[in-house]
Amino acid sequence: DKVELPLKLPPITPYLQANTDMDISSSLESLYNVHCNTVFENIRFMKFEVLPHTLESFSSASISPQMYSLFISERLYEWVYQADLITHRALAKMLSSLIVEFDDIPDIVLDKLSQFSISYVDTISKATIDLPVPMVMKKVDLARTFSRLVKRLIKVIDNGKNASKVLGSQQTRFEMYRDWNQFVDVTQLCSAELPCCSTETDHTVVRVTNFISIQLVNFLAKNTSDSNGSVLLVEFAKVVWEFTQTFSNVPPRIFIMSFNAFTTSTLRELSINGAESFGSWWVLKSFVDEWLYWCAEVGGFLNG
């Protein structure tokens, strides 16, 4: 979903005591709204050099004593957390759009994102040093979770660049298609590797086998030009994602562990049989694994 700007934060009123000065609380609400939107814009446009200053704008030296006293009051801990959570969820949505543009993202942008993911928690810790410990802990935990998402995103993009090069060669796709059909028995591997598939006639085995053998592998047989690797990869990823939605009753962690076990077993079969396309299949597996990890983690973050 697209992010609606400016960000709308939860109203402060339900978190206030009955005798709170409404002028001060209203000013605080407006100021923190601006603060969160500014944090969003700093990260969105990768203005990481000004981010520390933005994050420090709610220290004791930056706002009035009356407003600061209200801000650090215990009743507002949850309001501040919810406002920060909305901000970082919006950032996660915004960054998700980079995945379908992975082939056009310059290395310098990925380098800046990587440095940000490494330094963000420390930046938050330094900027909130004079805030109450419970508030700081919530901010640091949120920053740590968000930094982990950014690191995962970078892995997806890096693997996407490599996988698109593989799918961009019609000859490579033909070799992958040939080796798969020659060496991989999907039905047997499903029965052996997926805990929910006890027999080859199991309904899940049939579903998975048909999906992989017909929908996924046929992507490799597409007669497209050598320049469409990124387009094919995005289509491939969307088809995989839509199929995962049919397993809504399976816990995400179990699904991904099972998926990883299956893809690893296919690589083992290709390796044992000396498939020429083993390296290409490894690159594609790496992308799909990282992409599903990202989907699970960002989905949990947005909906948790």
Side-chain angles (χ1 to χ4, degrees):
D1 296 333
K2 291 184 178 179
V3 178
E4 294 185 8
L5 298 175
L7 303 178
K8 295 180 180 179
L9 305 186
I12 195 173
T13 306
Y15 298 87
L16 299 173
Q17 291 182 334
N19 60 347
T20 303
D21 187 309
M22 296 309 297
D23 288 338
I24 294 176
S25 63
S26 178
S27 297
L28 176 62
E29 182 179 34
S30 298
L31 197 59
Y32 204 69
N33 202 313
V34 172
H35 168 78
C36 289
N37 276 275
T38 305
V39 169
F40 178 89
E41 294 297 328
N42 285 172
I43 297 176
R44 178 189 184 187
F45 295 108
M46 301 191 184
K47 298 179 179 179
F48 300 132
E49 67 280 357
V50 301
L51 184 59
H53 176 71
T54 300
L55 293 171
E56 291 168 2
S57 60
F58 269 80
S59 64
S60 57
S62 303
I63 56 179
S64 69
Q66 297 89 340
M67 192 179 296
Y68 182 74
S69 295
L70 176 60
F71 181 67
I72 64 172
S73 62
E74 188 173 345
R75 292 181 64 91
L76 287 194
Y77 290 173
E78 185 60 24
W79 176 73
V80 172
Y81 172 72
Q82 290 300 324
D84 292 344
L85 183 60
I86 287 172
T87 304
H88 286 82
R89 282 177 171 171
L91 284 165
K93 286 184 180 182
M94 181 273 298
L95 290 173
S96 294
S97 64
L98 295 178
I99 292 178
V100 295
E101 303 167 1
F102 60 85
D103 235 11
D104 300 320
I105 301 174
D107 289 340
I108 189 172
V109 171
L110 291 181
D111 289 341
K112 291 184 72 172
L113 274 176
S114 179
Q115 288 301 315
F116 164 76
S117 69
I118 294 170
S119 63
Y120 189 45
V121 173
D122 187 55
T123 302
I124 288 284
S125 298
K126 291 178 179 177
T128 57
I129 195 168
D130 62 345
L131 296 180
V133 171
M135 188 180 288
V136 173
M137 290 178 64
K138 284 178 176 289
K139 285 180 174 288
V140 169
D141 285 345
L142 187 55
R144 187 175 291 113
T145 299
F146 184 69
S147 295
R148 190 164 58 242
L149 281 177
V150 175
K151 291 174 183 176
R152 179 69 70 190
L153 176 73
I154 293 169
K155 288 184 179 180
V156 176
I157 293 172
D158 281 339
N159 280 282
K161 287 177 178 287
N162 294 330
S164 68
K165 293 175 183 176
V166 168
L167 294 185
S169 167
Q170 190 169 333
Q171 177 62 29
T172 300
R173 294 198 306 271
F174 170 77
E175 292 171 355
M176 294 171 71
Y177 182 77
R178 178 201 62 203
D179 289 347
W180 180 278
N181 288 323
Q182 184 176 353
F183 301 126
V184 179
D185 185 335
V186 177
T187 302
Q188 189 276 327
L189 290 179
C190 282
S191 299
E193 300 295 339
L194 301 183
C196 58
C197 303
S198 55
T199 67
E200 293 187 1
T201 58
D202 188 287
H203 176 62
T204 305
V205 172
V206 175
R207 285 173 61 201
V208 174
T209 300
N210 289 341
F211 171 71
I212 293 174
S213 300
I214 297 173
Q215 290 184 262
L216 284 193
V217 179
N218 280 349
F219 261 93
L220 303 175
K222 283 193 173 185
N223 187 22
T224 57
S225 67
D226 285 356
S227 61
N228 288 335
S230 59
V231 175
L232 275 177
L233 187 63
V234 171
E235 291 180 14
F236 183 89
K238 287 180 178 178
V239 169
V240 173
W241 175 246
E242 289 168 0
F243 185 64
T244 67
Q245 303 308 291
T246 66
F247 291 88
S248 57
N249 60 323
V250 180
R253 186 180 298 275
I254 298 299
F255 180 90
I256 289 178
M257 288 174 62
S258 300
F259 186 92
N260 185 266
F262 174 80
T263 56
T264 299
S265 68
T266 61
L267 284 186
R268 184 171 61 244
E269 293 300 306
L270 291 166
S271 176
I272 290 173
N273 289 285
E276 294 180 12
S277 64
F278 173 80
S280 299
W281 276 110
W282 174 261
V283 170
L284 185 59
K285 167 189 162 53
S286 298
F287 166 75
V288 175
D289 285 352
E290 289 295 342
W291 185 70
L292 282 181
Y293 293 150
W294 159 262
C295 289
E297 290 188 21
V298 78
F301 182 64
L302 295 178
N303 301 307

